[in-house]
C-alpha cells in the first residue's frame, strides 16, 4: 500500500477543529512563488498549481522509467499547501485578494534530492513541452506553530484565526510572523467535488512564547 503522509503524520495534516500547538520539522517542497487573486481564471495561481502537480507526478511515476531515485518507495502525493501574506499589513484583508502574495507548495518525500528534483524539472519540461523554470526546490523548518482545522469557505477563515489568537493569548503565546514565518494553509478537500461548506483547510501560524 502506498505511503500516505496525511495518515502517517496526522499531527501535521489532520488536527482537530480546535487550536493546538505543534512543532513542525524541516521539510522539502516543490514550490512556485507568485502574487494576485487565486480565484482568477487563467491567473498565476492556477498556473502554479499545474506546474506543481506536473513535477509531483513526474517524481512519483519515476519508478516506471529509467531514472532510479535512491530510497524510493511508493507514496500518495501529499496535499497542496500555501504560504500567504500581503505587503505592508499585519494579518489578512480577505477583501483584497488581488494583493495576495503566495508560495504554493507540495511536500516532497525525504528521499528526493535536489539532483532528483532537477531531473524531474527537465523530464517534465521535455515530455509536456511546458516551461517549468518557475518551480523551485524549497526547504523550510516552521518550528513552533499553532494550527486548527477550518471547515467551510476560505472567506470564513477569520473566525478560525480569531479562535487561534484567543487560544494563544490564554496560554501565554503570540503570533511570530516574519518574512520567513508566514500564514500557512493545507488544502484537504477537492474544491471541484466538495461543497464549500464542507471544505477542510488546515490553518497554521508561527508562534513564540510571550516574554
Amino acid at each position: 500500500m502506498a505511503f500516505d503522509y496525511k495518515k502517517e503524520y496526522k499531527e501535521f495534516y489532520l488536527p482537530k477543529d480546535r487550536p493546538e500547538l505543534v512543532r513542525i520539522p524541516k521539510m522539502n517542497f516543490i514550490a512556485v512563488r507568485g502574487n494576485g487573486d487565486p480565484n482568477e481564471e487563467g491567473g498565476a495561481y492556477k498556473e502554479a498549481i499545474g506546474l506543481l502537480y506536473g513535477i509531483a507526478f513526474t517524481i512519483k511515476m519515476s519508478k516506471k522509467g529509467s531514472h532510479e531515485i535512491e530510497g524510493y518507495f511508493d507514496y500518495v502525493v501529499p496535499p497542496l499547501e500555501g504560504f500567504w501574506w500581503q505587503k505592508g499589513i499585519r494579518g489578512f484583508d480577505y477583501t483584497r485578494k488581488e494583493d495576495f502574495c503566495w508560495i504554493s507548495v507540495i511536500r516532497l518525500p525525504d528521499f528526493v534530492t535536489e539532483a532528483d528534483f532537477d531531473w524531474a524539472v527537465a523530464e517534465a519540461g521535455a515530455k509536456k513541452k511546458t516551461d517549468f523554470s518557475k518551480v523551485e526546490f524549497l526547504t523550510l523548518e516552521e518550528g513552533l506553530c499553532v494550527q486548527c482545522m477550518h471547515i467551510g469557505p476560505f472567506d470564513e477563515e477569520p473566525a478560525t484565526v480569531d479562535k487561534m489568537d484567543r487560544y494563544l493569548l490564554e496560554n501565554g503565546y503570540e503570533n511570530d510572523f516574519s518574512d520567513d514565518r508566514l500564514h500557512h494553509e493545507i488544502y484537504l478537500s477537492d474544491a471541484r467535488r466538495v461543497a464549500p461548506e464542507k471544505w477542510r483547510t488546515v490553518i497554521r501560524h508561527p508562534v513564540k512564547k510571550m516574554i
Side-chain angles (χ1 to χ4, degrees):
M1 183 178 294
F3 186 92
D4 189 333
Y5 284 84
K6 296 190 302 298
K7 294 179 179 178
E8 298 297 331
Y9 295 103
K10 293 181 180 180
E11 67 272 29
F12 301 147
Y13 297 101
L14 297 173
K16 306 294 184 183
D17 59 354
R18 60 180 183 271
E20 62 184 18
L21 293 175
V22 62
R23 188 169 293 277
I24 309 299
K26 183 183 295 184
M27 298 180 187
N28 296 325
F29 299 92
I30 311 164
V32 177
R33 300 171 188 266
N35 55 73
D37 187 343
N39 298 318
E40 180 186 354
E41 285 301 326
Y45 184 75
K46 300 290 177 66
E47 178 192 13
I49 292 175
L51 295 174
L52 291 175
Y53 279 106
I55 301 302
F57 280 100
T58 296
I59 292 172
K60 175 178 168 60
M61 301 311 295
S62 64
K63 61 183 179 181
K64 295 189 174 183
S66 59
H67 182 81
E68 294 185 8
I69 299 179
E70 185 176 354
Y72 180 97
F73 54 79
D74 194 21
Y75 63 98
V76 177
V77 172
L80 179 70
E81 308 182 37
F83 296 90
W84 299 83
W85 71 99
Q86 287 169 312
K87 294 179 181 178
I89 69 171
R90 184 175 179 84
F92 262 80
D93 182 348
Y94 285 79
T95 68
R96 292 168 45 198
K97 294 183 175 63
E98 68 276 8
D99 294 336
F100 281 171
C101 300
W102 39 264
I103 308 172
S104 192
V105 304
I106 294 176
R107 183 179 179 178
L108 284 168
D110 290 341
F111 58 71
V112 178
T113 66
E114 288 195 56
D116 295 319
F117 174 84
D118 290 342
W119 164 83
V121 170
E123 180 76 0
K127 285 191 173 182
K128 299 178 182 296
K129 308 301 181 185
T130 300
D131 180 8
F132 286 90
S133 60
K134 293 180 181 178
V135 182
E136 62 182 274
F137 184 98
L138 180 65
T139 300
L140 290 173
E141 185 171 357
E142 291 183 87
L144 185 63
C145 297
V146 62
Q147 65 182 13
C148 186
M149 183 72 76
H150 170 73
I151 300 175
F154 301 134
D155 285 345
E156 295 179 2
E157 287 183 6
T160 298
V161 171
D162 286 345
K163 185 164 59 173
M164 294 163 63
D165 288 345
R166 289 196 303 271
Y167 170 85
L168 293 179
L169 186 61
E170 292 167 0
N171 289 276
Y173 291 86
E174 61 183 346
N175 288 306
D176 188 29
F177 294 111
S178 69
D179 290 345
D180 299 318
R181 308 193 77 204
L182 302 166
H183 173 96
H184 185 180
E185 299 182 358
I186 304 174
Y187 309 107
L188 301 177
S189 302
D190 186 338
R192 299 167 300 178
R193 297 183 173 88
V194 180
E197 62 269 20
K198 295 182 179 179
W199 289 352
R200 295 188 305 153
T201 306
V202 180
I203 300 178
R204 183 182 296 159
H205 285 171
V207 301
K208 64 181 179 181
K209 193 74 174 175
M210 285 183 180
I211 298 175

